[in-house]
Amino acid sequence: MKARDVLDYSLSDFNSNKFKTAMSSLGIIIGVMAIVVMMSLSDGVYAGVSQQFGSLDVNQMILVPAGLQDRSGGMGMSFGVRQTEKPPAQFTDRDLPIIMGVPGVVEVNPKITGSATATYGGDNRSVSIEGIVPSTEKGLAATLDKGRFLTSSDRYAVVIGSQVADGTFDRDLRPGSVLTLANPMTGQAQDYTVAGILKESNGSIIA
């Protein structure tokens, strides 16, 4: 069959089944457009997610010890025997070498987090506290803006975030300022000297 004969046959079939041919063509067009739209949406979502998570340190992992909780429904009873409440699990210095020995682990930065009532210039504010090991916080030390970073010999010294230094109290804090931190649970208070201030906006006090 010649090419002209094929063309004549196609045109004659189109003229005899215009509605069927039009609907088939419309279905093909809609299908192609749907594929194009889906590909465009997927590319947009991928670009958006990549932009949002690109600045995050996805190679970091936070390990938190799990609490040992009573599984008997909160009644403290199991098979007629009263169970005593156990304290939550805690990481110790003995755990650090074990974690460092895990394949792929490059660095371990132990921290203790909590909250306290900070007093400065007669103003009381609730702040977040992080207890760190200064020698393991090279990245945090690199963000220092004023003063100095903590050393292993520091006992009553802290490094504060810029958000705490500027705007938390009526008077701005600077290196050398003394603020009082009190445990909200026990009420015990201690004076600390500000050793340094971090560049980035940080609402924590680091001791």
Side-chain angles (χ1 to χ4, degrees):
M1 184 179 291
K2 298 181 180 180
R4 184 174 180 178
D5 295 333
V6 174
L7 181 61
D8 292 339
Y9 178 78
S10 300
L11 291 176
S12 62
D13 185 68
F14 175 77
N15 291 328
S16 59
N17 299 282
K18 292 183 178 179
F19 179 77
K20 181 179 178 180
T21 304
M23 293 303 295
S24 299
S25 302
L26 181 63
I28 295 173
I29 294 173
I30 292 176
V32 172
M33 291 180 63
I35 294 174
V36 172
V37 170
M38 289 300 294
M39 292 180 64
S40 300
L41 287 176
S42 63
D43 291 341
V45 171
Y46 178 79
V49 172
S50 299
Q51 183 177 4
Q52 291 294 326
F53 289 94
S55 60
L56 298 179
D57 293 327
V58 294
N59 60 340
Q60 294 186 358
M61 181 182 298
I62 299 176
L63 302 181
V64 180
L68 301 178
Q69 300 178 350
D70 178 26
R71 298 183 180 180
S72 59
M75 299 300 294
M77 299 291 293
S78 178
F79 299 104
V81 179
R82 184 173 183 82
Q83 296 180 342
T84 58
E85 186 174 342
K86 297 180 180 179
Q90 295 181 351
F91 284 129
T92 66
D93 293 339
R94 293 177 298 178
D95 297 314
L96 296 181
I98 298 175
I99 299 174
M100 278 297 300
V102 176
V105 174
V106 177
E107 188 178 54
V108 177
N109 307 117
K111 294 181 181 180
I112 299 176
T113 60
S115 61
T117 301
T119 303
Y120 178 68
D123 298 326
N124 297 325
R125 300 288 187 271
S126 179
V127 295
S128 299
I129 302 291
E130 287 188 358
I132 65 168
V133 178
S135 60
T136 66
E137 294 291 344
K138 296 179 181 179
L140 188 62
T143 66
L144 193 68
D145 182 36
K146 300 176 182 177
R148 65 172 179 84
F149 197 67
L150 299 175
T151 64
S152 57
S153 60
D154 285 323
R155 186 174 181 183
Y156 297 116
V158 294
V159 171
I160 62 177
S162 59
Q163 188 175 351
V164 175
D166 305 323
T168 297
F169 300 95
D170 292 339
R171 294 166 49 194
D172 291 345
L173 287 156
R174 59 179 60 89
S177 299
V178 177
L179 61 101
T180 303
L181 298 178
N183 188 325
M185 302 298 294
T186 64
Q188 294 180 347
Q190 176 65 49
D191 291 340
Y192 291 86
T193 301
V194 176
I197 299 173
L198 302 178
K199 293 179 184 177
E200 58 189 18
S201 179
N202 189 308
S204 298
I205 295 178
I206 301 169

